[in-house]
Amino acid sequence: MTYQPPVRDYVFLLRDVLQIEKYANLLAFADASMDVVEQILEEAGKFTAEVLAPLNGVGDKEGCAWSPDFSVKTPTGFKGAWDKMVEAGWPLLSADPDFGGQGLPRVVSLGYSEMSSAANMAFSMYPGLTHGAYAALRHGGSDEQKALYLPKMAACQWGGTMNLTEPHCGTDLGLLRTKAVPQADGSYRLSGQKIWISGGEQDLTENIIHLVIARIEGAPAGTKGISLFVVPKYLPDADGNPGERNSVNCLSLEEKMGIHGNSTCVISHEESKGWLVGEEGKGLALMFVMMNEARLGVGMQGLGQAEAAYQAAAEFAKERLQGRSLTGPKNPDGPADPIIVHPDVRRMLMTSRAIIEGGRAFMVWTALHGDLAAGAPDEATRQKGRDYMALMTPVLKGFLTDRGFQVCSDAMQVHGGSGFTEHFPVSQYLRDCRIALIYEGTNGIQALDLVGRKLPAEGGRAISTFFGELDGFISANAGDEGLKPFVDGLSTAKGQLQEATMWLMQNGMANPDNAGAASTDYLQLFGLTALAYMWAMMAQTANEKIAAGETDPIYANKLTVGRYYLDRVLPETAAHLAKLKTGSASMMALAADDF
Amino acid sequence: MTYQPPVRDYVFLLRDVLQIEKYANLLAFADASMDVVEQILEEAGKFTAEVLAPLNGVGDKEGCAWSPDFSVKTPTGFKGAWDKMVEAGWPLLSADPDFGGQGLPRVVSLGYSEMSSAANMAFSMYPGLTHGAYAALRHGGSDEQKALYLPKMAACQWGGTMNLTEPHCGTDLGLLRTKAVPQADGSYRLSGQKIWISGGEQDLTENIIHLVIARIEGAPAGTKGISLFVVPKYLPDADGNPGERNSVNCLSLEEKMGIHGNSTCVISHEESKGWLVGEEGKGLALMFVMMNEARLGVGMQGLGQAEAAYQAAAEFAKERLQGRSLTGPKNPDGPADPIIVHPDVRRMLMTSRAIIEGGRAFMVWTALHGDLAAGAPDEATRQKGRDYMALMTPVLKGFLTDRGFQVCSDAMQVHGGSGFTEHFPVSQYLRDCRIALIYEGTNGIQALDLVGRKLPAEGGRAISTFFGELDGFISANAGDEGLKPFVDGLSTAKGQLQEATMWLMQNGMANPDNAGAASTDYLQLFGLTALAYMWAMMAQTANEKIAAGETDPIYANKLTVGRYYLDRVLPETAAHLAKLKTGSASMMALAADDF
């Protein structure tokens, strides 16, 4: 089956729910009329479905190949697709016009981001990480560095990587050992080994720009001694073209469960030449600029893979004839009914829809706040945008990848035995998307970031604003009979999230293990509540459209899927609240030796 | 890390909780003193850890190889391990003494079954399916067939398979097309293609005995026309030794996500010679004898893989140094603390323990009822045993494989990025165990079997007996302060399960889709409640042992893990109840074309 890009759903979200044409006064939105946006989404759909999707299985089966000359060959077809992508300018959609970008709002480029992640996750990681590195350089680089690197990285003419992890340190980067020695010419020589570097070597771009965290000789131990460096594979010559080969090499590739089409490299810096980005000792903050970009991208991978897996499952469920409906044959002339007549098959497909459509709305709604943070005329709106981006990022990453993996697993289940074979695409979706729960900070780290940093930041300003927004929606729609189940469901979930937040404030300070013990359940509760809000907004829009005489079935279907969300997904909030309120006692009681 | 067989936990369950020595009056238990049982478990542990476990990764990497002469080569080392297994007599533990078995109760052989599934799931499937075929032949075969096949199949000198699925029919076997034509000599000639035949061809045994369902020429359509046949790869000669090669061939192997060490065959019957087993048209009932054996085995695979994955995760968590405890350094002299200090890592490990230890108790407790069904002196106990075996089988299969997969996924999560690489064993556990949710009836089919057949059977006799037993435990222990949280937790869960059962009775009849829509949540609620009972019994035992002065830490640890189960797992019951009570309306509302 061909991947079907969810263009219609994006149009619903952007035009009907978020009504982005309201923001035409913002610079980024000036050219983002819905006509233009729809056209972009249509073309993005064509490119991802026709160029990237057919290479997904190829990448899985072939993988990447390392050679003793340290080169890496990506799967057949990847280079051709890359060139088409660069030529069409897809990476430039929302890149900065100062560096050749089109400057469109993120809320618009997000559709392309989901579609490319859905069509070919392993491929989409190469431009994804390039843009993470682009964001860090744009944030912290000197004017000279920006001029040299950004136009080529924005366009994906050059690739970019994040060189963070070392064999003994992943989450705890304070332990890192890669060393940077200052040189007379103002550059540095870096020595050390980095692992799990996605796209660390490839044959897609004429140059690869590594952003590397390292410790300048003599710098303090721990995170305060970490600086960020830009280390190009080929040192740019006087004209800014790839020149002398730098001593940064890919020593080997990891064998992994999935994303075989993406090269996961051991990268060795053997006195590689690099330049400091930003200030000494401020590397971690810049790394988090990359990381936050990447976290949203990973949340999008969870969503994209879920959508692709759901589509395969729905297709299979409509075609596979097996058994009869419990309420009498639905395909009486055939040997059996399609399995979509069975409630338990529906359960899996409907849960997938409820998560995907709600999750997509959550992603788009957050991205709009990101656009407002960047370009709103008033500081209050910009501040709210920044607060929401910070607060929602760990939730989007953790919740959408956890649930995305579940959707992929359910899609395999719908396929029965076929799904476990490699003749069908769902094994790859399940294997590929599993990494999304781990990289760019495991989901446990996301949960800790949420309860430990994002909640208490600025005296809890972001979460208070969010609760205020939910209260406003609930009271504004209290009298709307057609929206009642949605308002009730949101109101219950919001009360539970508020109770959990209070519990954390009271118990997390007294014993930090209580906060750690509560973190994952809190993140799940947050995600479920956020989706309840999304579904309530979508239902409101659908009601209005139907009342106005619109007959497109998308509106009635939104009400049905939303109702299913209330019935069959949202009830989980109470369990998360009950669990987290039991605290850390039984979780921490066992002696380490007894595990 | 070497796999650590859970011998101590089996001794706790068999000796302390179930007190199997009470059953010495039963024939099967006469030789099953705890001394003997402990020795068997110790030896089983050694064999599985030293012989099977080291071949697990080998099997994954090498897989099985098919040759154009229709032969299949299993991974390096499998044949040697097989011969050791046969020589040691492991398959004979609880086989019928009439056919060379040792006749020990199943509750004893279960330990070996778990350990072999944990150490090498792909390997253990070959003897597992052989014993499924053995059970069907023992149940339905003629005396001559039994004498010819059973001693060799019991010992695993000959292999056995289940030839059920065809390309167009898996769950819905009524659609099958394989044809059997009666011959003048009383035999049949079978023609048709079977797929997904585990162990359908291999180089481990001197003969392979296929049990095949097929339709005798002229038999009615649907399930009533299905008969069972025994089709040996080599036709036994007059001395019962493998003779002439039969025309049953492996045409190819499936490429699968996991269990690479097990051959998954396309089997072609080209007028293969076979003999009817049991009566014409009664094939499906005999197939269910195999299937029910296999379902328990699959539940055990979920448990075994979970245990192996948990062990790898616990080991990793104690060794990997990363970050500091939220409550201050626990390894102040090291560069960081082991990650087991982090609550969210504990959450995953403790949840795994709660599921594994509770699930093992549930499995052993059910197996004891199986032994009582077979050998208790009074019909009431035998009937209860049969009722429980029937009722619990779908729950064990569905619940333990669902949760087992989650444990494997959590074990990967504990490993972080390492877990996604194939250098660590967890990717294999995750990939291997995923099939357990699918084969021998998907978990959705288990849930339907539970609500559609097992619950209503004999006017709900089995579930009523179970509720009566729970009520008895609750009231007998109502005054026990030390057991209060366990009794309270069980009581709440039991009330919810009872409410769900009532809801099903009232709403499932009116609209069968309500039963289908409720089935998976009902199965999960059932599993959670059963484990609450197991944890209450284990806690009661632990309390008694501690009061009697026993100092083995296993008793205190049981109370801790049990308490964690109540705090962090059991609260899910309410969500399942709430979901199922919403019925099928929103689940079934969307038009099939709108998926």
Side-chain angles (χ1 to χ4, degrees):
Chain A
M1 189 200 64
T2 324
Y3 165 64
Q4 306 289 324
V7 173
R8 183 68 190 84
D9 211 32
Y10 273 97
V11 171
F12 168 72
L13 290 170
L14 299 179
R15 186 188 62 196
D16 300 341
V17 182
L18 299 181
Q19 301 175 32
I20 62 166
E21 291 186 316
K22 285 193 309 199
Y23 304 99
N25 59 322
L26 274 67
L27 182 62
F29 287 78
D31 294 330
S33 72
M34 275 310 299
D35 283 354
V36 170
V37 169
E38 267 197 70
Q39 202 183 338
I40 291 172
L41 291 167
E42 287 289 351
E43 290 300 319
K46 270 189 211 162
F47 175 74
T48 54
E50 293 171 10
V51 177
L52 300 186
L55 297 174
N56 196 37
V58 177
D60 187 48
K61 285 186 181 61
E62 277 190 25
C64 294
W66 178 86
S67 293
D69 66 356
F70 307 125
S71 70
V72 168
K73 193 188 161 309
T74 57
T76 306
F78 273 39
K79 172 64 177 158
W82 186 275
D83 292 343
K84 283 184 193 160
M85 173 189 81
V86 171
E87 196 188 344
W90 287 116
L92 293 169
L93 276 184
S94 55
D96 188 338
D98 287 348
F99 307 111
Q102 295 188 41
L104 284 165
R106 175 174 222 145
V107 82
V108 172
S109 64
L110 212 58
Y112 172 73
S113 167
E114 180 194 326
M115 293 172 200
S116 58
S117 284
N120 195 326
M121 175 168 159
F123 180 94
S124 72
M125 290 170 66
Y126 295 106
L129 287 157
T130 299
H131 272 206
Y134 158 92
L137 265 179
R138 178 167 170 251
H139 189 84
S142 65
D143 287 346
E144 197 190 339
Q145 287 171 340
K146 290 184 193 177
L148 180 58
Y149 296 110
L150 293 188
K152 287 176 173 159
M153 292 175 75
C156 284
Q157 198 175 338
W158 289 2
T161 79
M162 295 162 61
N163 275 226
L164 311 179
T165 306
E166 300 181 6
H168 59 286
C169 70
T171 300
D172 188 357
L173 289 169
L175 301 175
L176 76 82
R177 294 181 192 147
T178 295
K179 194 177 63 176
V181 180
Q183 306 295 306
D185 67 354
S187 70
Y188 290 78
R189 290 283 176 182
L190 278 75
S191 304
Q193 202 176 85
K194 297 287 184 176
I195 62 170
W196 303 343
I197 309 307
S198 299
E201 186 54 79
Q202 33 81 355
D203 56 0
L204 304 170
T205 58
E206 61 183 17
N207 203 356
I208 300 174
I209 309 307
H210 301 285
L211 288 193
V212 188
I213 55 170
R215 202 181 300 282
I216 295 174
E217 220 174 21
T223 54
K224 287 181 186 139
I226 296 178
S227 302
L228 185 71
F229 298 87
V230 56
V231 180
K233 176 179 169 188
Y234 293 103
L235 302 175
D237 64 18
D239 301 325
N241 294 318
E244 188 191 340
R245 179 71 159 86
N246 203 351
S247 50
V248 49
N249 289 317
C250 171
L251 299 188
S252 63
L253 297 178
E254 295 290 344
E255 267 187 79
K256 311 182 298 290
M257 187 170 81
I259 50 166
H260 296 156
N262 197 273
S263 61
T264 306
C265 305
V266 174
I267 292 286
S268 173
H269 293 270
E270 293 145 11
E271 305 212 322
S272 68
K273 186 166 188 165
W275 290 269
L276 184 67
V277 179
E279 294 175 46
E280 277 188 31
K282 298 285 170 65
L284 221 54
L286 284 173
M287 191 209 75
F288 269 107
V289 175
M290 282 194 276
M291 191 61 101
N292 281 325
E293 283 294 307
R295 284 177 178 176
L296 286 175
V298 174
M300 202 46 127
Q301 290 173 347
L303 182 64
Q305 291 289 294
E307 171 73 37
Y310 160 78
Q311 288 188 15
E315 182 82 1
F316 187 89
K318 286 188 277 187
E319 285 178 358
R320 174 77 171 170
L321 304 180
Q322 206 76 178
R324 289 291 183 190
S325 164
L326 296 170
T327 56
K330 299 293 177 284
N331 175 33
D333 299 335
D337 290 342
I339 61 171
I340 202 165
V341 303
H342 302 306
D344 199 62
V345 171
R346 290 261 179 164
R347 177 185 60 78
M348 295 186 275
L349 295 175
M350 288 294 290
T351 302
S352 303
R353 285 279 287 265
I355 292 294
I356 291 167
E357 295 178 20
R360 183 177 291 130
F362 186 26
M363 188 62 94
V364 172
W365 173 85
T366 306
L368 176 61
H369 284 289
D371 289 323
L372 295 175
D378 62 307
E379 171 55 17
T381 305
R382 289 198 302 269
Q383 177 183 288
K384 182 177 162 188
R386 286 194 303 273
D387 282 355
Y388 275 14
M389 278 294 276
L391 181 67
M392 304 302 168
T393 294
V395 183
L396 284 165
K397 196 279 188 184
F399 188 76
L400 293 186
T401 60
D402 264 350
R403 302 281 169 156
F405 180 66
Q406 185 58 50
V407 168
C408 291
S409 185
D410 277 348
M412 177 173 282
Q413 200 64 17
V414 169
H415 280 76
S418 301
F420 195 68
T421 72
E422 299 290 355
H423 295 297
F424 285 79
V426 282
S427 162
Q428 184 185 355
Y429 297 137
L430 189 69
R431 289 183 290 101
D432 282 1
C433 89
R434 184 61 184 78
I435 188 59
L437 286 71
I438 297 175
Y439 61 14
E440 315 308 352
T442 64
N443 287 358
I445 292 295
Q446 305 303 318
L448 267 188
D449 178 50
L450 177 63
V451 302
R453 297 160 44 112
K454 301 302 175 60
L455 275 192
E458 307 290 342
R461 189 176 68 199
I463 184 80
S464 300
T465 308
F466 184 54
F467 283 139
E469 179 169 341
L470 297 186
D471 286 336
F473 183 93
I474 292 164
S475 61
N477 295 287
D480 184 341
E481 268 308 303
L483 208 60
K484 189 169 186 322
F486 291 93
V487 172
D488 289 350
L490 174 59
S491 180
T492 301
K494 192 226 84 180
Q496 290 164 328
L497 183 62
Q498 220 156 11
E499 191 179 336
T501 310
M502 290 290 284
W503 187 93
L504 268 175
M505 285 165 59
Q506 286 158 4
N507 298 279
M509 298 293 250
N511 176 0
D513 275 348
N514 280 329
S519 59
T520 286
D521 282 304
Y522 186 84
L523 187 149
Q524 293 292 328
L525 176 51
F526 198 126
L528 289 165
T529 305
L531 262 62
Y533 181 39
M534 298 302 133
W535 275 115
M537 286 195 286
M538 291 192 283
Q540 184 182 41
T541 301
N543 279 338
E544 286 167 8
K545 292 289 175 183
I546 291 167
E550 295 271 8
T551 55
D552 188 323
I554 193 175
Y555 301 114
N557 288 347
K558 286 288 172 195
L559 294 173
T560 301
V561 179
R563 185 58 201 242
Y564 180 88
Y565 179 79
L566 299 175
D567 284 353
R568 292 276 173 171
V569 184
L570 196 57
E572 292 165 20
T573 51
H576 291 298
L577 177 62
K579 289 181 188 187
L580 75 81
K581 284 172 70 181
T582 64
S584 60
S586 64
M587 194 180 283
M588 303 305 287
L590 214 60
D593 286 346
D594 286 335
F595 280 89
Chain B
M1 191 200 62
T2 325
Y3 166 63
Q4 306 289 324
V7 173
R8 184 67 191 86
D9 210 34
Y10 272 97
V11 171
F12 167 73
L13 290 170
L14 298 179
R15 186 187 63 197
D16 301 341
V17 182
L18 299 181
Q19 302 175 33
I20 64 166
E21 290 186 318
K22 286 192 309 198
Y23 304 99
N25 60 321
L26 275 66
L27 182 62
F29 287 79
D31 294 331
S33 71
M34 274 310 299
D35 284 353
V36 169
V37 169
E38 269 198 69
Q39 203 183 336
I40 291 172
L41 291 167
E42 287 287 352
E43 291 300 319
K46 270 188 211 160
F47 175 75
T48 53
E50 294 170 10
V51 178
L52 301 186
L55 298 174
N56 196 38
V58 177
D60 186 48
K61 284 184 183 59
E62 275 189 27
C64 294
W66 178 87
S67 293
D69 65 357
F70 305 126
S71 70
V72 169
K73 195 189 160 308
T74 58
T76 305
F78 272 39
K79 172 63 177 159
W82 186 274
D83 292 344
K84 283 183 194 162
M85 174 189 80
V86 172
E87 197 187 343
W90 287 115
L92 293 168
L93 276 184
S94 54
D96 188 338
D98 286 350
F99 306 111
Q102 294 189 43
L104 284 165
R106 174 174 223 148
V107 82
V108 172
S109 63
L110 212 58
Y112 173 72
S113 166
E114 181 194 326
M115 293 172 200
S116 57
S117 285
N120 196 324
M121 175 168 159
F123 180 94
S124 72
M125 291 170 65
Y126 295 105
L129 287 158
T130 300
H131 274 204
Y134 158 92
L137 265 178
R138 179 166 169 250
H139 188 85
S142 66
D143 289 345
E144 198 190 338
Q145 288 170 337
K146 291 184 193 177
L148 180 58
Y149 296 110
L150 292 188
K152 287 177 172 158
M153 292 175 76
C156 283
Q157 198 177 334
W158 290 1
T161 79
M162 296 162 60
N163 276 226
L164 311 180
T165 307
E166 300 180 6
H168 59 286
C169 70
T171 300
D172 188 358
L173 289 169
L175 301 174
L176 77 80
R177 293 179 193 150
T178 296
K179 193 178 63 177
V181 180
Q183 307 294 306
D185 66 356
S187 70
Y188 290 78
R189 291 282 176 183
L190 279 74
S191 305
Q193 202 176 87
K194 297 286 183 176
I195 61 168
W196 304 342
I197 309 307
S198 300
E201 184 55 78
Q202 34 81 355
D203 55 1
L204 304 170
T205 58
E206 61 183 16
N207 204 357
I208 299 172
I209 310 307
H210 302 286
L211 289 193
V212 187
I213 55 171
R215 202 181 301 283
I216 296 173
E217 222 175 17
T223 55
K224 286 180 188 140
I226 296 178
S227 302
L228 184 71
F229 299 87
V230 56
V231 180
K233 175 179 169 188
Y234 293 102
L235 303 174
D237 64 17
D239 302 323
N241 294 318
E244 187 192 339
R245 180 72 161 85
N246 203 351
S247 50
V248 49
N249 288 317
C250 171
L251 298 189
S252 62
L253 298 178
E254 295 290 343
E255 268 187 79
K256 312 182 297 292
M257 187 169 81
I259 51 166
H260 297 154
N262 197 273
S263 62
T264 306
C265 306
V266 174
I267 293 285
S268 173
H269 293 270
E270 292 146 12
E271 304 211 324
S272 68
K273 186 165 187 166
W275 289 270
L276 185 67
V277 179
E279 294 174 46
E280 279 188 30
K282 297 284 170 66
L284 221 54
L286 283 172
M287 191 208 74
F288 269 107
V289 175
M290 283 194 278
M291 191 61 103
N292 281 324
E293 285 293 307
R295 284 176 178 177
L296 286 176
V298 174
M300 204 44 128
Q301 292 173 344
L303 182 64
Q305 291 289 295
E307 171 72 38
Y310 160 78
Q311 289 188 14
E315 183 82 2
F316 187 89
K318 286 188 278 188
E319 286 178 357
R320 173 77 171 168
L321 304 181
Q322 205 79 178
R324 291 292 183 188
S325 164
L326 296 169
T327 56
K330 298 294 178 286
N331 175 33
D333 299 334
D337 290 341
I339 63 170
I340 201 165
V341 304
H342 303 306
D344 198 62
V345 170
R346 290 261 180 164
R347 178 185 61 77
M348 295 186 274
L349 296 175
M350 288 294 290
T351 302
S352 303
R353 284 279 286 266
I355 292 295
I356 291 166
E357 295 178 21
R360 183 178 290 131
F362 186 26
M363 188 62 93
V364 172
W365 173 85
T366 306
L368 176 61
H369 283 290
D371 288 323
L372 295 174
D378 62 304
E379 171 55 17
T381 305
R382 290 198 301 271
Q383 177 184 289
K384 182 177 162 187
R386 287 193 302 274
D387 281 356
Y388 275 15
M389 279 294 277
L391 182 66
M392 305 302 168
T393 293
V395 184
L396 285 165
K397 197 277 188 185
F399 188 76
L400 294 186
T401 59
D402 264 351
R403 301 282 169 154
F405 180 66
Q406 185 58 49
V407 169
C408 291
S409 185
D410 278 349
M412 177 172 284
Q413 200 66 16
V414 170
H415 280 75
S418 302
F420 195 68
T421 72
E422 298 290 355
H423 296 296
F424 285 80
V426 283
S427 161
Q428 186 186 355
Y429 296 137
L430 188 70
R431 288 183 290 100
D432 282 1
C433 89
R434 185 60 185 76
I435 187 59
L437 286 71
I438 297 174
Y439 61 13
E440 314 310 349
T442 63
N443 287 357
I445 291 295
Q446 305 302 318
L448 266 188
D449 177 51
L450 176 64
V451 303
R453 296 162 46 112
K454 302 303 174 60
L455 275 192
E458 305 292 340
R461 190 176 67 198
I463 185 79
S464 300
T465 308
F466 184 54
F467 283 139
E469 180 170 339
L470 297 185
D471 286 336
F473 183 91
I474 291 164
S475 60
N477 295 287
D480 184 341
E481 269 309 302
L483 208 60
K484 191 170 186 319
F486 291 92
V487 172
D488 288 350
L490 174 59
S491 181
T492 301
K494 194 225 81 179
Q496 290 164 329
L497 183 61
Q498 221 157 8
E499 190 179 337
T501 311
M502 289 290 284
W503 187 93
L504 269 174
M505 286 165 58
Q506 286 159 3
N507 298 279
M509 299 291 251
N511 176 2
D513 275 347
N514 281 328
S519 58
T520 286
D521 282 304
Y522 186 84
L523 187 149
Q524 292 292 329
L525 175 52
F526 199 125
L528 289 164
T529 305
L531 261 63
Y533 181 39
M534 298 301 133
W535 275 114
M537 285 196 285
M538 291 193 282
Q540 184 182 41
T541 302
N543 278 338
E544 285 167 7
K545 292 289 175 184
I546 290 167
E550 296 270 10
T551 56
D552 187 324
I554 193 175
Y555 300 114
N557 288 347
K558 285 289 172 195
L559 294 173
T560 301
V561 179
R563 184 60 201 241
Y564 180 88
Y565 180 79
L566 299 175
D567 285 353
R568 292 275 173 172
V569 183
L570 196 57
E572 293 165 20
T573 52
H576 291 298
L577 178 61
K579 289 181 188 186
L580 76 79
K581 285 171 70 180
T582 65
S584 60
S586 64
M587 195 180 283
M588 304 304 288
L590 214 60
D593 286 345
D594 286 334
F595 280 90

